[in-house]
Amino acid sequence: MEQNLKKNLFVNILASPFLLAVPMAIAIIFILPDFGSKYQLDLVSSRLSDKEKSKIDFVDLNSDGIDEQVSGFPNIAMGKAAIKVMTHDFVNYDQWNFNGKYKKLSDYFYVADLDKNGLSEIYTIYHRNDSLFLAAVAPYPDKRILFEDKLVTVFKFGESQIDYEIRGFNSVDLNHDSYPEFVFLVNAGFSLQPRMICAYDRKNDSLIRSQTYGANIAISEIADLNEDGYPEFYTDSHTRKNIADSMGVPYSDYHSWLMVFDHQLRFRFKPIKHEGAFSNVMTYPVKERFEEPAILSLFIHKTNNKYFLKKISPMGELLEEVDLKQVIDDISSFNPGFFKVDIADKETLIVIGSMDENLLFAEKDLTLSKLKATSNIRDYLFSKDLNSDGVTEHIFRNNENGITVFDKNLKNPVDFVLNLQTPKHYYLSVGVKSGPQEKELFVKTDYRVYFLSYSKNPLFYVKYLIWIFVYIAMAMALWGAQYLRQRQVQRRIELESTITQLQMKTIKSQMDPHFIFNVLNGIANNIHNRRNTESYNQIVRFSRLLRILMKRSETINVTLKEEMEFVLHYLELEKFRFKDNFSYAINIDEDVDQHYKIPKMLIQLLVENAIKHGLHEKTGLKHIAIAIFNADNQLKIVVKDNGVGREAARMRNPEIGKGYSLLDELAKLNKDLHGQNISINIMDLMDENYIAGGTRVEATVI
């Protein structure tokens, strides 16, 4: 018993509409339109760049909380390098021209408050003839030039042209005097030399330089890894094949190098060589990921198919290395690049690169793990709080040459497509502009600037309401279907019960005891009087009547032919009972379909009522006429008798009408089951003296 109860409970749970709605709702949700990422990146505005081939940044120069636009550009009309400042609403503030030119591959300017007076200066580097110069302006409060034509270095020509890059702009306190120095990297190209790191000391108005070298490097990170209180410079390197070993310049760029400089711009340890052209080295100092501070470094040589991740001590000793080809399935899709990110519920991750839609990061034992980024990204640009919610977002350049922004946990990416023709756009700038209202991400291509707003996507949360609505709708639909099904089952049970009751009533009606006793008494009387033939005929007729009755006891509808066959036997038995005082007439039109189905007993009850209540008390000849015909696409059944009429019959028998009530129940059940309407119209027949002379009953079957 208990087991059956548990089984029934389990079945009821499985059949619950609230459980069945779950997979159906999921299927519908799956085909609903995508509502996008949790965040959205909307284009607020765009404008043509103020100056052709300019490089821009947005910086708060006067500490009022609102960024001004700083532009560096070649002043073509004057043939000079120029710096221009515009207010936050793009009104010209001032412009300064310097006697020199910019190189298009270089960064043009850097903004910093090196003298710590609360107002930022703009530092710019340009060349004239064979010399490289440094200049600075103080836009606020009095728009003055601090200095210009401060010599940085002189180029040594290799191909009779000046070619160089100025990169790695930064500011850091190198000598513990509480004032930061302006740091930058000089990389000569075809000019070959110099290649070095420089730092300008604003407080002492002095310039320090590293030794010159042949390697082609870029400053990747500035950190105090050895914890001596002074920063070191960690660099990336790749080959250019401009300076061969035979040229006598140390650290040829026919190889790549791991180079670390101390705060005096000297090598922290002897540079580590990575042999071969088309190789590169990428470095990242790590304090918090390992038990001891270390340098993570990628040594990559795609031509020779060499990919190594190395852990190196702050003094340049190899601690551990991993062959990435052994742990990355498709090494050709690996795109290297270090950066750090904090993930919720995890330690700080050191990402070493991307592959397809995954970011690869190094664990403490140098094993690699993947983090699904759900977007094809290429280069990490920077991290910044774009919407002032106190949480840092991460900005990447993606494989479609556009911008992808991730949230703090590198989830919920949102893209901005630039539709650039090539990924190498010399004047592409990406940064953040702080305005009077909110921050905006800006993206500048060669000639145009786009301003983007990063915010939460309200539709992202609406989708959950839609999902809940879909689930509720499915659950209610299933519940409604189950309810209707249960109602249908209940209705069917009720109909079956009604059918059973009516069948019992009809059997009782058709086998009325008075009728049976009268027939049997008549047969017995004939046998007693030796009218054997007539007795035999009545017994046969009575048996046929019983056989028909039993045969259709389980049905509600019968054909008109079957009903009339039963009625005929019934009338013959009644005629036998009344002898010569009873007659009947049956007229069925030829166009009447004898196979048309009607409720059983429809005609028999009409005839029985006529005999029982109309003719039973009548003296003289008793007559019943039955007419069946079609009229207006309806079947008409008319039973007419010449009895005493309804009023006289009701006076003698108060229970008159029960036969008609049974007929009403049959008609109603027939309508419920088969949609067939039956109407009954009863009319008293009067003679010329308005004396009741019978009854006319008309049944219409629609």
Side-chain angles (χ1 to χ4, degrees):
M1 181 70 177
E2 183 179 353
Q3 185 176 2
N4 288 335
L5 289 175
K6 290 182 178 179
K7 183 177 180 180
N8 291 335
L9 178 61
F10 179 71
V11 171
N12 290 335
I13 292 174
L14 288 181
S16 169
F18 300 101
L19 183 61
L20 294 175
V22 172
M24 300 180 68
I26 291 175
I28 294 176
I29 289 170
F30 183 75
I31 63 176
L32 288 176
D34 184 16
F35 290 91
S37 175
K38 183 178 180 180
Y39 298 90
Q40 60 189 15
L41 198 58
D42 298 320
L43 179 63
V44 176
S45 63
S46 69
R47 56 192 295 270
L48 289 174
S49 178
D50 180 61
K51 293 295 181 180
E52 186 178 308
K53 297 182 179 180
S54 63
K55 295 189 177 183
I56 69 170
D57 198 1
F58 289 86
V59 187
D60 183 8
L61 298 174
N62 55 2
S63 299
D64 64 353
I66 301 176
D67 287 350
E68 287 76 33
Q69 177 181 305
V70 181
S71 304
F73 61 94
N75 189 332
I76 299 175
M78 300 179 64
K80 293 185 176 183
I83 296 294
K84 183 178 181 178
V85 173
M86 302 177 72
T87 63
H88 71 275
D89 52 358
F90 304 110
V91 175
N92 289 337
Y93 177 72
D94 207 346
Q95 178 175 318
W96 299 268
N97 300 297
F98 303 96
N99 189 19
K101 297 181 180 179
Y102 290 132
K103 290 298 293 183
K104 64 182 180 181
L105 294 177
S106 295
D107 291 334
Y108 290 168
F109 61 88
Y110 180 70
V111 179
D113 182 15
L114 299 186
D115 56 11
K116 300 184 72 172
N117 66 348
L119 302 173
S120 296
E121 309 90 57
I122 303 173
Y123 297 86
T124 185
I125 300 175
Y126 52 89
H127 75 273
R128 185 173 65 249
N129 298 326
D130 62 351
S131 301
L132 191 68
F133 298 99
L134 173 67
V137 297
Y140 293 94
D142 49 7
K143 306 180 182 180
R144 63 190 178 94
I145 294 179
L146 297 176
F147 60 84
E148 56 184 326
D149 287 350
K150 187 178 292 293
L151 182 65
V152 175
T153 188
V154 176
F155 293 103
K156 298 178 181 179
F157 292 99
E159 295 288 340
S160 300
Q161 59 177 302
I162 291 181
D163 183 39
Y164 64 90
E165 293 178 3
I166 306 295
R167 298 285 189 183
F169 287 170
N170 214 316
S171 56
V172 60
D173 185 3
L174 298 178
N175 53 13
H176 279 188
D177 64 355
S178 299
Y179 287 88
E181 280 72 45
F182 169 41
V183 178
F184 56 94
L185 185 72
V186 179
N187 264 350
F190 293 113
S191 303
L192 302 182
Q193 287 292 290
R195 296 179 180 178
M196 59 184 177
I197 299 178
C198 301
Y200 173 66
D201 184 343
R202 171 85 172 90
K203 180 181 179 183
N204 299 308
D205 193 23
S206 62
L207 192 70
I208 60 173
R209 305 172 182 83
S210 70
Q211 74 170 79
T212 187
Y213 43 77
N216 181 57
I217 69 171
I219 299 174
S220 62
E221 292 290 328
I222 302 175
D224 180 14
L225 192 61
N226 59 3
E227 298 181 337
D228 64 353
Y230 292 94
E232 300 92 43
F233 298 88
Y234 297 86
T235 66
D236 296 339
S237 173
H238 69 275
T239 59
R240 274 192 173 178
K241 296 181 66 175
N242 286 344
I243 300 177
D245 293 327
S246 59
M247 297 179 66
V249 179
Y251 313 116
S252 160
D253 70 352
Y254 274 67
H255 315 284
S256 52
W257 303 83
L258 193 160
M259 290 182 169
V260 179
F261 297 82
D262 65 14
H263 66 286
Q264 295 180 323
L265 304 186
R266 299 174 302 187
F267 289 126
R268 185 75 180 84
F269 51 81
K270 185 177 180 180
I272 300 174
K273 185 178 183 180
H274 184 31
E275 291 190 3
F278 308 110
S279 66
N280 63 302
V281 174
M282 306 181 76
T283 61
Y284 195 86
V286 180
K287 280 187 177 182
E288 64 279 0
R289 194 64 177 161
F290 306 117
E291 293 181 1
E292 296 292 337
I295 305 169
L296 271 184
S297 186
L298 286 167
F299 283 68
I300 297 173
H301 198 306
K302 292 186 177 181
T303 304
N304 294 337
N305 199 27
K306 293 182 179 180
Y307 297 80
F308 285 93
L309 175 63
K310 299 185 179 185
K311 184 166 75 171
I312 298 170
S313 75
M315 293 306 297
E317 299 170 346
L318 179 62
L319 302 176
E320 191 176 352
E321 71 177 6
V322 174
D323 186 350
L324 295 182
K325 292 187 299 180
Q326 305 301 318
V327 293
I328 297 179
D329 296 332
D330 183 13
I331 196 68
S332 62
S333 64
F334 176 61
N335 183 40
F338 282 109
F339 67 96
K340 179 174 68 174
V341 62
D342 293 323
I343 302 294
D345 302 325
K346 292 185 179 181
E347 297 182 74
T348 299
L349 301 183
I350 306 300
V351 179
I352 69 167
S354 61
M355 186 176 67
D356 299 326
E357 294 183 353
N358 295 288
L359 293 173
L360 303 180
F361 60 92
E363 300 285 3
K364 291 182 179 180
D365 57 356
L366 291 195
T367 58
L368 298 186
S369 297
K370 292 182 180 180
L371 180 67
K372 190 74 172 178
T374 64
S375 185
N376 288 313
I377 56 178
R378 191 174 82 243
D379 300 322
Y380 170 73
L381 297 176
F382 60 90
S383 297
K384 193 86 171 182
D385 180 5
L386 297 180
N387 54 357
S388 301
D389 62 353
V391 178
T392 300
E393 284 76 38
H394 307 285
I395 296 88
F396 291 80
R397 184 178 290 120
N398 57 42
N399 287 333
E400 287 73 35
N401 298 322
I403 304 300
T404 299
V405 180
F406 290 86
D407 65 12
K408 176 185 178 181
N409 297 321
L410 288 172
K411 299 293 183 182
N412 302 303
V414 56
D415 298 327
F416 175 67
V417 179
L418 290 170
N419 296 317
L420 301 180
Q421 299 299 316
T422 169
K424 289 186 177 180
H425 275 240
Y426 298 133
Y427 306 99
L428 180 66
S429 302
V430 182
V432 177
K433 171 181 177 290
S434 296
Q437 307 299 326
E438 59 183 13
K439 293 180 181 178
E440 294 176 347
L441 180 69
F442 73 87
V443 181
K444 181 192 176 298
T445 61
D446 284 2
Y447 301 101
R448 196 164 194 87
V449 186
Y450 302 88
F451 297 94
L452 312 171
S453 172
Y454 181 80
S455 60
K456 288 185 177 180
N457 178 9
L459 293 180
F460 182 82
Y461 300 96
V462 170
K463 73 179 180 182
Y464 294 114
L465 297 177
I466 295 176
W467 292 357
I468 293 172
F469 173 79
V470 169
Y471 169 74
I472 293 175
M474 293 306 305
M476 293 303 295
L478 290 172
W479 178 84
Q482 288 188 358
Y483 175 78
L484 292 176
R485 176 62 179 168
Q486 290 173 355
R487 288 293 298 161
Q488 288 178 344
V489 171
Q490 184 65 30
R491 180 61 177 162
R492 184 169 183 174
I493 293 173
E494 292 174 356
L495 287 175
E496 289 175 352
S497 176
T498 303
I499 290 170
T500 302
Q501 293 174 11
L502 285 175
Q503 286 172 346
M504 295 301 296
K505 288 181 180 180
T506 55
I507 290 173
K508 181 179 179 181
S509 176
Q510 292 180 359
M511 298 298 289
D512 183 70
H514 296 289
F515 171 73
I516 295 173
F517 292 150
N518 288 334
V519 171
L520 293 176
N521 286 334
I523 294 172
N525 185 55
N526 283 342
I527 294 173
H528 179 73
N529 294 323
R530 299 182 182 277
R531 292 195 288 269
N532 295 333
T533 301
E534 187 176 356
S535 298
Y536 173 78
N537 291 336
Q538 296 308 316
I539 290 172
V540 170
R541 193 176 299 279
F542 186 60
S543 67
R544 288 177 179 174
L545 188 69
L546 291 176
R547 185 171 62 252
I548 294 172
L549 176 64
M550 302 306 295
K551 180 181 178 181
R552 64 181 191 174
S553 63
E554 298 295 329
T555 62
I556 297 297
N557 279 11
V558 295
T559 64
L560 181 62
K561 181 179 180 181
E562 292 171 335
E563 176 71 4
M564 288 308 299
E565 181 183 1
F566 183 87
V567 170
L568 181 61
H569 289 304
Y570 179 81
L571 288 171
E572 283 296 321
L573 289 172
E574 290 287 12
K575 184 177 180 182
F576 167 69
R577 180 162 69 96
F578 288 115
K579 302 302 181 180
D580 295 333
N581 289 330
F582 182 80
S583 65
Y584 64 86
I586 298 175
N587 182 30
I588 303 176
D589 284 359
E590 293 182 357
D591 63 344
V592 173
D593 183 6
Q594 295 276 343
H595 297 285
Y596 187 79
K597 287 197 172 186
I598 60 174
K600 71 177 180 181
M601 288 178 52
L602 173 63
I603 301 176
Q604 190 269 340
L605 282 174
L606 296 177
V607 172
E608 182 184 5
N609 281 336
I611 294 173
K612 184 185 295 186
H613 303 295
L615 300 179
H616 188 269
E617 302 296 332
K618 179 178 173 56
T619 58
L621 180 64
K622 302 173 179 61
H623 182 75
I624 286 181
I626 301 173
I628 303 175
F629 55 92
N630 290 320
D632 299 327
N633 294 323
Q634 299 172 351
L635 180 67
K636 299 283 187 177
I637 301 170
V638 178
V639 177
K640 186 166 59 173
D641 67 76
N642 64 345
V644 298
R646 285 185 295 172
E647 288 297 325
R650 189 176 289 111
M651 292 177 64
R652 294 186 179 95
N653 185 4
E655 294 185 358
I656 186 173
K658 288 188 176 181
Y660 289 119
S661 66
L662 178 59
L663 188 60
D664 287 339
E665 291 184 49
L666 279 171
K668 182 180 179 182
L669 180 62
N670 187 69
K671 181 179 180 181
D672 291 339
L673 291 176
H674 305 290
Q676 195 177 56
N677 288 313
I678 299 175
S679 62
I680 306 293
N681 183 29
I682 305 173
M683 181 187 304
D684 292 319
L685 301 177
M686 303 289 181
D687 60 14
E688 62 273 9
N689 296 320
Y690 296 99
I691 298 174
T695 305
R696 182 182 188 276
V697 182
E698 180 180 301
T700 303
V701 183
I702 303 175

